[in-house]
PDB file of all heavy atoms in Angstrom:
ATOM      1  N   PHE A 279      44.045 -22.227  -4.028  1.00  0.00           N
ATOM      2  CA  PHE A 279      43.350 -21.604  -5.157  1.00  0.00           C
ATOM      3  C   PHE A 279      42.871 -22.754  -6.036  1.00  0.00           C
ATOM      4  O   PHE A 279      43.637 -23.353  -6.765  1.00  0.00           O
ATOM      5  CB  PHE A 279      44.318 -20.694  -5.916  1.00  0.00           C
ATOM      6  CG  PHE A 279      43.662 -19.767  -6.913  1.00  0.00           C
ATOM      7  CD1 PHE A 279      42.274 -19.703  -7.046  1.00  0.00           C
ATOM      8  CD2 PHE A 279      44.445 -18.940  -7.714  1.00  0.00           C
ATOM      9  CE1 PHE A 279      41.702 -18.836  -7.956  1.00  0.00           C
ATOM     10  CE2 PHE A 279      43.856 -18.071  -8.632  1.00  0.00           C
ATOM     11  CZ  PHE A 279      42.483 -18.024  -8.751  1.00  0.00           C
ATOM     12  N   VAL A 280      41.586 -23.098  -5.901  1.00  0.00           N
ATOM     13  CA  VAL A 280      41.055 -24.328  -6.472  1.00  0.00           C
ATOM     14  C   VAL A 280      40.011 -24.021  -7.529  1.00  0.00           C
ATOM     15  O   VAL A 280      39.271 -23.044  -7.393  1.00  0.00           O
ATOM     16  CB  VAL A 280      40.406 -25.188  -5.357  1.00  0.00           C
ATOM     17  CG1 VAL A 280      39.840 -26.481  -5.917  1.00  0.00           C
ATOM     18  CG2 VAL A 280      41.418 -25.472  -4.264  1.00  0.00           C
ATOM     19  N   SER A 281      39.969 -24.803  -8.572  1.00  0.00           N
ATOM     20  CA  SER A 281      38.856 -24.666  -9.515  1.00  0.00           C
ATOM     21  C   SER A 281      38.085 -25.972  -9.578  1.00  0.00           C
ATOM     22  O   SER A 281      38.650 -27.047  -9.399  1.00  0.00           O
ATOM     23  CB  SER A 281      39.357 -24.263 -10.901  1.00  0.00           C
ATOM     24  OG  SER A 281      40.221 -25.249 -11.402  1.00  0.00           O
ATOM     25  N   ILE A 282      36.783 -25.862  -9.803  1.00  0.00           N
ATOM     26  CA  ILE A 282      35.939 -27.035  -9.984  1.00  0.00           C
ATOM     27  C   ILE A 282      35.463 -27.017 -11.422  1.00  0.00           C
ATOM     28  O   ILE A 282      34.883 -26.044 -11.880  1.00  0.00           O
ATOM     29  CB  ILE A 282      34.736 -27.011  -9.020  1.00  0.00           C
ATOM     30  CG1 ILE A 282      35.223 -26.976  -7.562  1.00  0.00           C
ATOM     31  CG2 ILE A 282      33.829 -28.210  -9.259  1.00  0.00           C
ATOM     32  CD1 ILE A 282      34.114 -26.769  -6.548  1.00  0.00           C
ATOM     33  N   MET A 283      35.748 -28.075 -12.145  1.00  0.00           N
ATOM     34  CA  MET A 283      35.382 -28.159 -13.554  1.00  0.00           C
ATOM     35  C   MET A 283      34.393 -29.288 -13.780  1.00  0.00           C
ATOM     36  O   MET A 283      34.354 -30.246 -13.027  1.00  0.00           O
ATOM     37  CB  MET A 283      36.612 -28.387 -14.429  1.00  0.00           C
ATOM     38  CG  MET A 283      37.369 -27.145 -14.779  1.00  0.00           C
ATOM     39  SD  MET A 283      38.438 -27.456 -16.185  1.00  0.00           S
ATOM     40  CE  MET A 283      37.313 -27.305 -17.526  1.00  0.00           C
ATOM     41  N   GLY A 284      33.644 -29.169 -14.826  1.00  0.00           N
ATOM     42  CA  GLY A 284      32.711 -30.236 -15.168  1.00  0.00           C
ATOM     43  C   GLY A 284      31.725 -29.725 -16.184  1.00  0.00           C
ATOM     44  O   GLY A 284      31.508 -28.514 -16.288  1.00  0.00           O
ATOM     45  N   SER A 285      31.139 -30.673 -16.939  1.00  0.00           N
ATOM     46  CA  SER A 285      30.161 -30.260 -17.925  1.00  0.00           C
ATOM     47  C   SER A 285      28.883 -29.873 -17.189  1.00  0.00           C
ATOM     48  O   SER A 285      28.729 -30.143 -15.995  1.00  0.00           O
ATOM     49  CB  SER A 285      29.889 -31.397 -18.907  1.00  0.00           C
ATOM     50  OG  SER A 285      29.519 -32.541 -18.182  1.00  0.00           O
ATOM     51  N   SER A 286      27.967 -29.288 -17.942  1.00  0.00           N
ATOM     52  CA  SER A 286      26.730 -28.873 -17.273  1.00  0.00           C
ATOM     53  C   SER A 286      25.975 -30.130 -16.842  1.00  0.00           C
ATOM     54  O   SER A 286      25.920 -31.116 -17.563  1.00  0.00           O
ATOM     55  CB  SER A 286      25.886 -28.014 -18.201  1.00  0.00           C
ATOM     56  OG  SER A 286      25.191 -28.801 -19.109  1.00  0.00           O
ATOM     57  N   GLY A 287      25.428 -30.094 -15.626  1.00  0.00           N
ATOM     58  CA  GLY A 287      24.751 -31.274 -15.098  1.00  0.00           C
ATOM     59  C   GLY A 287      25.661 -32.157 -14.284  1.00  0.00           C
ATOM     60  O   GLY A 287      25.232 -33.177 -13.748  1.00  0.00           O
ATOM     61  N   SER A 288      26.921 -31.786 -14.165  1.00  0.00           N
ATOM     62  CA  SER A 288      27.863 -32.620 -13.417  1.00  0.00           C
ATOM     63  C   SER A 288      27.728 -32.400 -11.922  1.00  0.00           C
ATOM     64  O   SER A 288      28.237 -33.170 -11.124  1.00  0.00           O
ATOM     65  CB  SER A 288      29.290 -32.303 -13.850  1.00  0.00           C
ATOM     66  OG  SER A 288      29.584 -30.957 -13.562  1.00  0.00           O
ATOM     67  N   GLY A 289      27.015 -31.331 -11.540  1.00  0.00           N
ATOM     68  CA  GLY A 289      26.794 -31.076 -10.115  1.00  0.00           C
ATOM     69  C   GLY A 289      27.705 -30.026  -9.522  1.00  0.00           C
ATOM     70  O   GLY A 289      27.736 -29.835  -8.319  1.00  0.00           O
ATOM     71  N   LYS A 290      28.431 -29.305 -10.408  1.00  0.00           N
ATOM     72  CA  LYS A 290      29.412 -28.356  -9.858  1.00  0.00           C
ATOM     73  C   LYS A 290      28.747 -27.155  -9.183  1.00  0.00           C
ATOM     74  O   LYS A 290      29.203 -26.692  -8.135  1.00  0.00           O
ATOM     75  CB  LYS A 290      30.409 -27.914 -10.929  1.00  0.00           C
ATOM     76  CG  LYS A 290      29.817 -27.266 -12.171  1.00  0.00           C
ATOM     77  CD  LYS A 290      30.911 -27.009 -13.189  1.00  0.00           C
ATOM     78  CE  LYS A 290      30.495 -26.067 -14.306  1.00  0.00           C
ATOM     79  NZ  LYS A 290      29.295 -26.463 -15.055  1.00  0.00           N
ATOM     80  N   SER A 291      27.632 -26.673  -9.773  1.00  0.00           N
ATOM     81  CA  SER A 291      26.942 -25.535  -9.143  1.00  0.00           C
ATOM     82  C   SER A 291      26.298 -25.953  -7.826  1.00  0.00           C
ATOM     83  O   SER A 291      26.316 -25.200  -6.846  1.00  0.00           O
ATOM     84  CB  SER A 291      25.874 -24.973 -10.085  1.00  0.00           C
ATOM     85  OG  SER A 291      26.490 -24.291 -11.141  1.00  0.00           O
ATOM     86  N   THR A 292      25.759 -27.180  -7.806  1.00  0.00           N
ATOM     87  CA  THR A 292      25.153 -27.690  -6.567  1.00  0.00           C
ATOM     88  C   THR A 292      26.201 -27.762  -5.468  1.00  0.00           C
ATOM     89  O   THR A 292      25.952 -27.356  -4.322  1.00  0.00           O
ATOM     90  CB  THR A 292      24.559 -29.081  -6.824  1.00  0.00           C
ATOM     91  OG1 THR A 292      23.692 -29.005  -7.947  1.00  0.00           O
ATOM     92  CG2 THR A 292      23.794 -29.579  -5.621  1.00  0.00           C
TER      93      THR A 292
END
Side-chain angles (χ1 to χ4, degrees):
Chain A
F279 193 4
V280 180
S281 61
I282 300 172
M283 277 198 81
S285 54
S286 79
S288 62
K290 58 185 194 304
S291 288
T292 307

